Amino acid sequence: MLISLSKSWLLGGLLGFTLFISTSHQLAAQRTFTNPIKNSGPDPWVLQKGDWYYYMNTTGRNLTLWKTRNMADLATAESKIIYTPPAGKPYSRELWAPEIHSFNGKWYIYFSADSLNNLSHRVWVIENSSLDPMQGEWIMKGKIGDKGNHWEIDMSVMDYNGQLYATWSGWEGPTNGRQDIYIARLKNPWTLDGDRVKISQPDQPWEQHGDVPQEWQKNGEVPKIYVNEGPEFLRHGRNLFIVYSANACWLDYCLGLLTYKGKGDLLDPKNWAKSKEPVFSQAPENGVWAPGHGGFFRSADGKQDWMIYHANSSANDGCGNKRAPHIQAFSWNTDGSPNFGKPVPNKPIPVPAEQ
């Protein structure tokens, strides 16, 4: 009996020790990363396709594509300049906010560009039929714009129950110092179907911190520029949202939320409700200023929701290349709306869960 008890104790001890070693190994194997995931990357965008994440950001000169199996590894990911516009074209300068999408077995990239200055900014579309977007030829499909040929930037596209929709930031008139959010249906990935519809303008106090930099001021005047831009679709179950950037990138950039009420035409402004406050704001106490231009993806195991956004590391970094991409997990409120929390400190956190 004593021998039996001794054997049981010994076996139990060995089992416990084995479990301890296994658990310790798992903890040691847990990878971490620290934001930002790349030193520079304004207007970040992520497309999750199969086992890969395809990433783009504003370079200003060309369209560069990154490819990685985990977004935490972006700094060392494979990258390639996949398109450089010919000189002299109406889309040859100031290339902003590129996004890669996949529809009907083909790849599409939407980007904002101009030929002379910001006043001529429009959105352009290129197409690739290759299985791998890092390979093959990218073909210009043309300008994608409304009938009035209005100024537009930051277009994103979504397949919603078999119908393609586009949303972007534009001006109501030729120049009016205010950027609004528009939506329209698409006939195909490079052609709008019908007129644009405005579903948001910066009409809330928290969206109207629009003082321009001193060097922009003329004759002692202090103009205002009110901004809604960088709209991105976000789906969760039956719920549909548009997350957008408010205020100016040189000020307290933040994220607002438009919620589709669940019934009726997406092109009816009455079917969208705006958040009463920003849903994601800067956190100076965590060393993160002016977060904006948010995008979304899931971890490789399909269990975690993550957001990506650019942010500055100081209050005076402005709208240039100091804006760098950050990622962090987020959750959902009981009413189905996203809960982004606040920007996390630039300290080691676990990478998005891997398969």
Coordinates of all heavy atoms in Angstrom, one line a residue, residues 115-150:
S115 N -2.9 66.0 -60.8 CA -1.9 66.4 -61.8 C -1.2 67.7 -61.6 O -0.1 67.9 -62.0 CB -2.6 66.4 -63.2 OG -3.6 67.4 -63.2
L116 N -1.9 68.6 -60.8 CA -1.3 69.9 -60.6 C -1.2 70.2 -59.1 O -0.1 70.5 -58.6 CB -2.2 71.0 -61.3 CG -2.2 70.9 -62.8 CD1 -3.3 71.9 -63.3 CD2 -0.9 71.2 -63.4
N117 N -2.3 70.2 -58.4 CA -2.3 70.5 -57.0 C -3.6 69.8 -56.4 O -4.3 69.1 -57.1 CB -2.4 72.0 -56.7 CG -3.5 72.7 -57.5 OD1 -4.6 72.2 -57.5 ND2 -3.2 73.7 -58.2
N118 N -3.8 70.0 -55.1 CA -4.8 69.3 -54.4 C -6.2 69.5 -55.0 O -7.1 68.7 -54.9 CB -4.9 69.8 -52.9 CG -5.9 69.1 -52.1 OD1 -6.1 67.9 -52.2 ND2 -6.6 69.8 -51.3
L119 N -6.4 70.7 -55.7 CA -7.7 71.0 -56.2 C -8.2 70.0 -57.3 O -9.3 69.8 -57.6 CB -7.8 72.4 -56.9 CG -7.5 73.6 -55.9 CD1 -7.6 74.9 -56.6 CD2 -8.6 73.6 -54.8
S120 N -7.2 69.3 -57.9 CA -7.5 68.3 -59.0 C -7.5 66.9 -58.5 O -7.5 65.9 -59.3 CB -6.5 68.5 -60.1 OG -5.2 68.2 -59.7
H121 N -7.6 66.7 -57.2 CA -7.6 65.3 -56.6 C -8.9 64.6 -57.0 O -10.0 65.1 -56.8 CB -7.4 65.3 -55.1 CG -6.1 64.9 -54.6 ND1 -5.2 65.8 -54.1 CD2 -5.5 63.7 -54.7 CE1 -4.1 65.1 -53.8 NE2 -4.2 63.9 -54.1
R122 N -8.7 63.4 -57.6 CA -9.8 62.5 -57.9 C -9.3 61.1 -57.5 O -8.2 60.8 -57.2 CB -10.1 62.5 -59.4 CG -10.6 63.9 -59.9 CD -11.9 64.4 -59.3 NE -12.4 65.6 -59.9 CZ -12.0 66.9 -59.5 NH1 -11.1 67.0 -58.5 NH2 -12.5 67.9 -60.1
V123 N -10.2 60.1 -57.6 CA -9.9 58.7 -57.3 C -9.8 57.9 -58.6 O -10.6 58.1 -59.5 CB -11.0 58.1 -56.4 CG1 -10.7 56.6 -56.2 CG2 -11.0 58.8 -55.1
W124 N -8.7 57.1 -58.7 CA -8.4 56.3 -59.9 C -8.4 54.8 -59.5 O -8.1 54.5 -58.3 CB -7.1 56.7 -60.5 CG -7.1 58.2 -60.9 CD1 -7.0 59.3 -60.0 CD2 -7.4 58.7 -62.1 NE1 -7.1 60.4 -60.7 CE2 -7.4 60.2 -62.0 CE3 -7.7 58.2 -63.4 CZ2 -7.6 61.0 -63.1 CZ3 -7.9 59.0 -64.5 CH2 -7.8 60.4 -64.3
V125 N -8.6 53.9 -60.5 CA -8.7 52.5 -60.3 C -7.8 51.8 -61.2 O -7.8 52.0 -62.4 CB -10.1 52.0 -60.4 CG1 -10.2 50.5 -60.0 CG2 -11.1 52.8 -59.6
I126 N -7.0 50.8 -60.7 CA -6.2 49.9 -61.5 C -6.6 48.5 -61.2 O -7.1 48.2 -60.1 CB -4.7 50.1 -61.3 CG1 -4.3 49.9 -59.9 CG2 -4.2 51.5 -61.8 CD1 -2.8 50.0 -59.6
E127 N -6.4 47.6 -62.2 CA -6.9 46.2 -62.1 C -5.7 45.2 -62.4 O -4.9 45.5 -63.3 CB -8.0 46.0 -63.1 CG -8.6 44.6 -63.2 CD -9.5 44.4 -64.3 OE1 -9.1 44.3 -65.5 OE2 -10.8 44.4 -64.1
N128 N -5.8 44.0 -61.8 CA -4.8 43.0 -62.0 C -5.5 41.6 -62.0 O -6.3 41.4 -61.0 CB -3.7 43.0 -60.9 CG -2.5 42.1 -61.2 OD1 -2.7 41.1 -61.9 ND2 -1.4 42.4 -60.5
S129 N -5.3 40.8 -63.0 CA -6.0 39.5 -63.1 C -5.1 38.4 -62.6 O -5.6 37.2 -62.6 CB -6.3 39.2 -64.6 OG -7.2 40.2 -65.1
S130 N -3.9 38.7 -62.1 CA -3.0 37.6 -61.6 C -3.6 37.0 -60.3 O -4.3 37.7 -59.5 CB -1.6 38.2 -61.3 OG -0.8 37.2 -60.7
L131 N -3.2 35.8 -60.0 CA -3.6 35.1 -58.7 C -2.9 35.8 -57.5 O -3.5 35.9 -56.5 CB -3.3 33.7 -58.7 CG -4.1 32.8 -59.7 CD1 -3.5 31.3 -59.7 CD2 -5.5 32.8 -59.4
D132 N -1.7 36.3 -57.8 CA -0.9 37.0 -56.7 C -0.8 38.5 -57.1 O -0.2 38.8 -58.2 CB 0.5 36.3 -56.6 CG 1.3 36.9 -55.5 OD1 0.9 38.0 -54.9 OD2 2.4 36.4 -55.2
P133 N -1.3 39.4 -56.3 CA -1.2 40.8 -56.7 C 0.2 41.4 -56.7 O 0.4 42.5 -57.2 CB -2.1 41.5 -55.6 CG -2.0 40.6 -54.4 CD -1.9 39.2 -55.0
M134 N 1.1 40.6 -56.2 CA 2.5 41.0 -56.2 C 3.1 40.8 -57.6 O 4.2 41.2 -58.0 CB 3.4 40.3 -55.2 CG 2.9 40.5 -53.7 SD 3.2 42.1 -53.1 CE 4.9 42.0 -52.5
Q135 N 2.4 40.0 -58.4 CA 2.8 39.6 -59.8 C 1.8 40.2 -60.8 O 0.8 40.8 -60.4 CB 2.9 38.1 -59.9 CG 3.8 37.4 -58.8 CD 5.2 37.9 -58.8 OE1 5.8 38.1 -59.9 NE2 5.8 38.0 -57.6
G136 N 2.1 39.9 -62.0 CA 1.2 40.3 -63.1 C 1.2 41.8 -63.4 O 2.1 42.5 -62.9
E137 N 0.4 42.2 -64.3 CA 0.3 43.6 -64.8 C -0.9 44.3 -64.2 O -2.0 43.8 -64.2 CB 0.3 43.6 -66.3 CG 0.3 45.0 -66.9 CD 0.2 45.0 -68.4 OE1 0.0 43.9 -69.0 OE2 0.2 46.1 -69.0
W138 N -0.6 45.5 -63.8 CA -1.7 46.4 -63.3 C -2.1 47.4 -64.4 O -1.2 48.1 -65.0 CB -1.2 47.2 -62.1 CG -1.1 46.4 -60.8 CD1 0.0 45.7 -60.3 CD2 -2.2 46.1 -59.9 NE1 -0.3 45.0 -59.2 CE2 -1.7 45.2 -58.9 CE3 -3.5 46.5 -59.9 CZ2 -2.5 44.8 -57.8 CZ3 -4.3 46.0 -58.8 CH2 -3.8 45.1 -57.8
I139 N -3.4 47.3 -64.7 CA -3.9 48.1 -65.9 C -4.8 49.2 -65.4 O -5.7 49.0 -64.5 CB -4.7 47.2 -66.8 CG1 -3.8 46.1 -67.4 CG2 -5.3 48.0 -68.0 CD1 -4.6 45.0 -68.2
M140 N -4.6 50.4 -65.9 CA -5.4 51.6 -65.5 C -6.8 51.4 -66.1 O -7.0 51.3 -67.3 CB -4.8 52.9 -66.0 CG -5.6 54.1 -65.8 SD -6.2 54.4 -64.1 CE -4.6 54.8 -63.3
K141 N -7.8 51.4 -65.2 CA -9.2 51.3 -65.6 C -9.8 52.7 -65.8 O -10.9 52.9 -66.4 CB -10.0 50.5 -64.6 CG -9.6 49.1 -64.5 CD -9.6 48.3 -65.8 CE -11.1 48.0 -66.2 NZ -11.1 47.1 -67.4
G142 N -9.3 53.7 -65.1 CA -9.7 55.1 -65.3 C -10.2 55.7 -64.0 O -10.0 55.2 -62.9
K143 N -10.7 56.9 -64.1 CA -11.2 57.7 -63.0 C -12.5 57.2 -62.6 O -13.4 57.0 -63.4 CB -11.2 59.2 -63.4 CG -11.7 60.1 -62.3 CD -11.6 61.6 -62.7 CE -12.4 61.9 -64.0 NZ -12.3 63.3 -64.3
I144 N -12.8 57.1 -61.3 CA -14.1 56.8 -60.8 C -14.6 58.0 -60.0 O -14.1 58.3 -58.9 CB -14.0 55.5 -59.9 CG1 -15.3 55.2 -59.3 CG2 -12.9 55.6 -58.8 CD1 -15.4 53.8 -58.6
G145 N -15.6 58.6 -60.6 CA -16.1 59.8 -60.0 C -17.6 60.0 -60.3 O -18.2 59.3 -61.1
D146 N -18.2 61.0 -59.6 CA -19.6 61.3 -59.8 C -19.8 62.1 -61.1 O -18.8 62.6 -61.7 CB -20.2 62.0 -58.6 CG -19.6 63.4 -58.5 OD1 -18.4 63.6 -58.3 OD2 -20.4 64.4 -58.6
K147 N -21.1 62.3 -61.5 CA -21.4 63.1 -62.7 C -20.9 64.5 -62.7 O -20.5 65.0 -63.7 CB -22.9 63.0 -62.9 CG -23.4 61.6 -63.2 CD -24.9 61.7 -63.3 CE -25.5 60.3 -63.6 NZ -27.0 60.3 -63.7
G148 N -20.8 65.1 -61.5 CA -20.3 66.5 -61.4 C -18.8 66.6 -61.4 O -18.3 67.7 -61.3
N149 N -18.1 65.5 -61.4 CA -16.6 65.5 -61.4 C -16.1 66.3 -60.2 O -15.2 67.1 -60.3 CB -16.1 66.0 -62.7 CG -14.6 65.8 -62.8 OD1 -14.0 64.9 -62.3 ND2 -13.9 66.7 -63.5
H150 N -16.7 66.1 -59.0 CA -16.3 66.8 -57.8 C -14.9 66.3 -57.3 O -14.6 65.1 -57.5 CB -17.3 66.7 -56.7 CG -18.6 67.4 -57.0 ND1 -19.7 66.8 -57.7 CD2 -19.0 68.7 -56.8 CE1 -20.7 67.7 -57.8 NE2 -20.3 68.8 -57.3

